[in-house]
Amino acid sequence: MNAITFLGNSTMIPSQCILRAFSRISPSKYIRDTTFRSYHSRFSSCINQYSNANSDRIIRPTNAVPFCTDRQSSVTAQVVSEARSLSASTTCANDTTLDQIYTKNGLNVKPLVVERLKGHEKDEEVVNGDDKSVNRDGFEGAKSNNVEDEAWRLLRDSIVTYCDSPLGTVAAKDPTDTMPSNYDQVFIRDFVPSALAFLLKGESEIVRNFLLHTLQLQSWEKTVDCYSPGQGLMPASFKVRTLPLEEDKFEEVLDPDFGEAAIGRVAPVDSGLWWIILLRAYGKITGDYSLQERIDVQTGIKMIANLCLADGFDMFPTLLVTDGSCMIDRRMGIHGHPLEIQALFYSALRSSREMITVNDSSKNIIKTISNRLSALSFHIRENYWVDKNKINEIYRYKTEEYSMDATNKFNIYPEQVSPWLMDWVPESPDSGFLIGNLQPAHMDFRFFTLGNLWSIISSLGTPKQNQAILNLIEEKWDDLVGHMPLKICYPALESSEWHIITGSDPKNTPWSYHNGGSWPTLLWQFTLACIKMGRPELAEKAVTMAEKRLQADRWPEYYDTRDGKFIGKQSRLYQTWTIAGFLTSKQLLQNPEIASSLFWEEDLELLESCVCVLTKSGRKKCSRAAAKSQILI
Ligand code: GLC
């Protein structure tokens, strides 16, 4: 549960709705550009109105304490100089003082307000997803069925509002659950399938609000034990809280969790990546590119990108993260360079490259992004890929090779090729997958579904690899799909491995939850990957199977056992991303042409620069013809 408690009941209807908006960035902390310093007074006027109920956890808008730290930021002056200032505290929409404040601040930027559509512009009311729904974009109207009707009703029921406008969906809404923990919050990653379901239905307001409000949360200061993570970090989740004011009035505030309250105190690295991916999807589906062109949104993209692209000690182009920094948000031995993060990182960088407005000040970041994309895809395609032949090669590896020309670059001891893998890897050269993680002397050979699916969707893998991953899923259907699509990872950690790697986590016992449980929310991503590779029938098979059980089982978060037969031991019911994932899958299958705007094809320009960079560096290993031919297949 969240450590900060506010007085008041979150279900209370505020008699007066107050929207708080805060400065994105404290100039004294992040700007060395003297021209910007002259704006000090504007930022320092902000007052922190939140009580710090827990000294371990401090959340506040950055401008509440504008001059308190001197931490250097990777955010470049160029990015910051595009930052926009927002007012300190202001009343909700319809209040003309908002415009005045912005004019007074002298910045030619659009204020972030909950932008209400005028009556006639509003999406037409949709009841239970039936055919009265708006289909502004001309999608083929599909006949709904019972299961879909219920799913739409539940999805709409999970909507959270802020200042009377829809803002997101709670993670789960089981009416019988008296201890929702933080499942009553809006999670960034969980909202993505909800957002797509709404966008595909022609309803964009909730998604637009979500993107703009979470952007505001990005610049809050977040601290655990006097230490702050980098600017640009997006929260894992947030909650709309209602605070009492004097005279029976209430205000609503957003209370984000950046990991400082989360179990394990892990920063959600994937949140910002998902935010960027969703922003691109919003533009593609609605055709409204003005949102991504806004200065504040452009700054938000660059802050996330800068945080991820910051130089460190790492020798790999992959992103170095702690355990549990993504969908698997508990200890599962995925610290280092887990595939899931790399695939989302690649997708977010490709999205950013498309969305960042090209001008003199953005040239450098676009170049940095392109270089990273090339290096990342080369590294993953070369080093994460396994099929029968590659496993055999690793099985025969020599070790302790000190040289630039080493075959066994990461000094992998062949004993790591465990018996399950030798049995499991398909005979066919047309089947294979990307391994879960790669570190010095460590290959994590487990199959992680989300990472493999996003490698297909983003073209992180070669076209041949992408096809081979789907072949593997088809061949290993009983293991990876079983009674409920899809296994989060395969196989489960058992016995001493479970003890040591999970820290004896009772929620992650073998074949449960993150440790080999089956997660229906993965269905929409599987559907997208199948449509991309021209195999929609595979997705249809999985959706049909899920449809038979989800409603009767009350839309569980996850399933347990080796073949996903049981509803998960501690699984929430009426889990929103299960519901939304199902609806999104259905809509994608009905509208494959829209689905095609959500994935990426191979980018030959990126491949060329990869080969070129490698050739220039003069490292024989990297420019070998074999690598090039694999990449270009
Ligand atoms: C669990 C999942 C995480 C999800 C959250 C809310 O913590 O591991 O991925 O975002 O629940 O549904």
Side-chain angles (χ1 to χ4, degrees):
M1 279 290 274
N2 214 307
I4 286 191
T5 47
F6 289 103
L7 294 173
N9 179 338
S10 60
T11 57
M12 282 186 281
I13 308 290
S15 58
Q16 185 197 357
C17 192
I18 311 263
L19 172 67
R20 293 192 176 281
F22 299 97
S23 154
R24 283 192 55 77
I25 302 174
S26 164
S28 63
K29 287 172 64 183
Y30 305 109
I31 305 171
R32 271 159 261 152
D33 181 339
T34 49
T35 55
F36 224 86
R37 291 202 170 166
S38 60
Y39 291 112
H40 265 178
S41 56
R42 185 173 77 221
F43 292 93
S44 57
S45 64
C46 199
I47 300 163
N48 180 5
Q49 301 207 9
Y50 296 87
S51 62
N52 175 17
N54 179 347
S55 61
D56 189 44
R57 177 173 185 245
I58 305 167
I59 308 178
R60 58 196 165 226
T62 47
N63 59 345
V65 278
F67 313 119
C68 66
T69 65
D70 192 25
R71 197 159 162 237
Q72 295 220 339
S73 165
S74 62
V75 179
T76 59
Q78 158 219 329
V79 169
V80 173
S81 67
E82 289 175 6
R84 117 190 115 83
S85 163
L86 289 176
S87 66
S89 168
T90 183
T91 48
C92 218
N94 302 333
D95 186 340
T96 50
T97 54
L98 246 177
D99 293 332
Q100 285 160 14
I101 287 163
Y102 287 94
T103 316
K104 207 170 66 192
N105 280 345
L107 287 185
N108 182 22
V109 290
K110 213 173 163 192
L112 178 87
V113 291
V114 181
E115 289 182 20
R116 294 156 200 268
L117 295 172
K118 295 196 188 84
H120 65 278
E121 289 172 347
K122 260 193 179 163
D123 297 333
E124 198 178 293
E125 186 128 351
V126 179
V127 184
N128 292 347
D130 67 18
D131 291 341
K132 270 185 258 165
S133 62
V134 173
N135 226 336
R136 274 195 316 231
D137 303 308
F139 298 158
E140 209 176 292
K143 280 197 198 123
S144 53
N145 63 23
N146 257 341
V147 185
E148 284 172 63
D149 286 350
E150 176 174 297
W152 274 112
R153 188 176 54 71
L154 293 169
L155 182 61
R156 293 189 191 293
D157 206 37
S158 72
I159 291 176
V160 170
T161 61
Y162 179 55
C163 292
D164 294 333
S165 291
L167 177 63
T169 49
V170 289
K173 199 167 182 193
D174 178 355
T176 63
D177 187 355
T178 51
M179 298 268 285
S181 183
N182 54 354
Y183 282 78
D184 60 357
Q185 304 207 5
V186 180
F187 279 73
I188 308 291
R189 70 175 78 82
D190 292 42
F191 182 66
V192 175
S194 298
L196 292 176
F198 288 125
L199 288 174
L200 291 166
K201 197 85 176 154
E203 297 168 43
S204 56
E205 187 195 358
I206 187 171
V207 185
R208 185 183 167 87
N209 291 341
F210 172 88
L211 287 166
L212 288 175
H213 280 291
T214 45
L215 182 64
Q216 288 299 298
L217 301 177
Q218 181 189 34
S219 46
W220 280 39
E221 185 163 345
K222 38 264 175 183
T223 310
V224 174
D225 295 340
C226 304
Y227 185 75
S228 311
Q231 282 293 316
L233 183 73
M234 283 277 181
S237 61
F238 63 86
K239 193 172 167 68
V240 179
R241 295 191 189 274
T242 307
L243 301 184
L245 292 172
E246 70 286 355
E247 295 169 13
D248 295 338
K249 289 179 180 158
F250 298 94
E251 65 175 341
E252 287 184 336
V253 292
L254 298 184
D255 179 21
D257 178 6
F258 292 90
E260 68 275 51
I263 298 163
R265 301 289 191 267
V266 179
V269 178
D270 65 338
S271 287
L273 307 176
W274 279 120
W275 184 88
I276 290 178
I277 292 166
L278 180 59
L279 178 66
R280 173 184 181 265
Y282 174 90
K284 290 274 180 188
I285 298 176
T286 62
D288 168 16
Y289 293 100
S290 64
L291 184 71
Q292 55 185 251
E293 285 161 8
R294 280 172 53 147
I295 293 176
D296 55 339
V297 175
Q298 286 279 314
T299 303
I301 301 170
K302 290 175 195 167
M303 281 173 72
I304 297 167
N306 269 305
L307 186 59
C308 297
L309 294 168
D311 292 333
F313 288 104
D314 219 2
M315 296 293 286
F316 304 151
T318 34
L319 205 54
L320 180 63
V321 297
T322 55
D323 214 340
S325 58
C326 53
M327 176 188 183
I328 295 179
D329 54 5
R330 298 164 81 94
R331 190 172 147 193
M332 264 294 288
I334 57 164
H335 49 273
H337 304 96
L339 179 67
E340 171 171 339
I341 288 286
Q342 313 316 323
L344 294 176
F345 181 35
Y346 189 77
S347 309
L349 288 184
R350 286 200 71 169
S351 305
S352 305
R353 191 157 152 268
E354 285 172 29
M355 293 189 294
I356 292 176
T357 310
V358 183
N359 54 37
D360 278 352
S361 66
S362 65
K363 266 191 317 214
N364 285 345
I365 191 166
I366 294 174
K367 192 160 170 250
T368 308
I369 289 174
S370 297
N371 288 343
R372 190 62 172 261
L373 281 167
S374 301
L376 189 57
S377 67
F378 180 83
H379 181 78
I380 297 279
R381 291 168 178 201
E382 271 283 281
N383 303 310
Y384 280 59
W385 181 252
V386 291
D387 53 16
K388 194 191 120 197
N389 290 338
K390 187 66 194 278
I391 303 274
N392 205 159
E393 193 185 316
I394 298 168
Y395 180 67
R396 290 168 48 78
Y397 265 167
K398 291 188 179 50
T399 58
E400 323 295 338
E401 292 176 286
Y402 180 82
S403 118
M404 296 285 269
D405 300 325
T407 311
N408 184 2
K409 278 189 281 192
F410 307 103
N411 200 33
I412 306 298
Y413 297 104
E415 287 70 16
Q416 283 178 39
V417 179
S418 47
W420 78 261
L421 182 64
M422 290 163 90
D423 289 345
W424 198 67
V425 71
E427 274 293 322
S428 158
D430 298 326
S431 266
F433 65 100
L434 294 165
I435 61 168
N437 206 342
L438 177 68
Q439 311 255 60
H442 175 63
M443 282 179 120
D444 182 343
F445 290 105
R446 282 175 292 170
F447 176 88
F448 285 86
T449 303
L450 186 67
N452 272 282
L453 294 179
W454 276 88
S455 300
I456 299 175
I457 294 166
S458 65
S459 283
L460 174 58
T462 66
K464 197 172 167 216
Q465 288 172 344
N466 295 338
Q467 205 54 265
I469 295 170
L470 279 192
N471 290 343
L472 177 113
I473 295 178
E474 191 177 19
E475 268 178 65
K476 300 289 173 187
W477 192 263
D478 291 347
D479 290 333
L480 300 176
V481 180
H483 291 273
M484 178 54 67
L486 276 139
K487 278 263 167 284
I488 195 165
C489 66
Y490 181 91
L493 298 167
E494 300 190 76
S495 317
S496 58
E497 270 195 330
W498 168 75
H499 276 294
I500 296 165
I501 296 175
T502 73
S504 307
D505 186 344
K507 203 165 172 185
N508 273 335
T509 50
W511 306 108
S512 180
Y513 199 45
H514 299 139
N515 188 12
S518 303
W519 292 65
T521 190
L522 293 169
L523 199 53
W524 73 268
Q525 304 159 89
F526 179 57
T527 304
L528 200 50
C530 289
I531 293 174
K532 175 176 172 189
M533 302 314 293
R535 317 269 307 266
E537 73 289 346
L538 265 188
E540 265 154 20
K541 191 170 149 194
V543 172
T544 307
M545 170 187 286
E547 189 161 1
K548 285 196 185 118
R549 288 191 66 186
L550 287 179
Q551 185 183 33
D553 292 347
R554 290 169 292 162
W555 309 94
E557 178 187 17
Y558 65 95
Y559 286 77
D560 282 359
T561 73
R562 198 177 268 271
D563 51 10
K565 209 184 295 177
F566 283 27
I567 297 172
K569 211 174 12 180
Q570 295 184 42
S571 169
R572 303 275 153 180
L573 299 178
Y574 301 103
Q575 179 81 17
T576 306
W577 69 353
T578 297
I579 297 163
F582 167 73
L583 288 172
T584 298
S585 301
K586 282 277 191 176
Q587 293 183 94
L588 290 173
L589 285 168
Q590 283 152 11
N591 302 287
E593 69 292 352
I594 298 292
S596 67
S597 66
L598 299 177
F599 49 70
W600 292 261
E601 295 299 345
E602 182 78 293
D603 184 331
L604 295 173
E605 205 186 309
L606 286 177
L607 295 183
E608 272 163 27
S609 66
C610 179
V611 171
C612 166
V613 167
L614 295 171
T615 310
K616 265 196 222 152
S617 77
R619 298 183 63 174
K620 283 183 215 151
K621 206 75 206 161
C622 297
S623 59
R624 65 181 191 209
K628 192 172 169 186
S629 63
Q630 189 204 37
I631 287 170
L632 295 173
I633 286 171

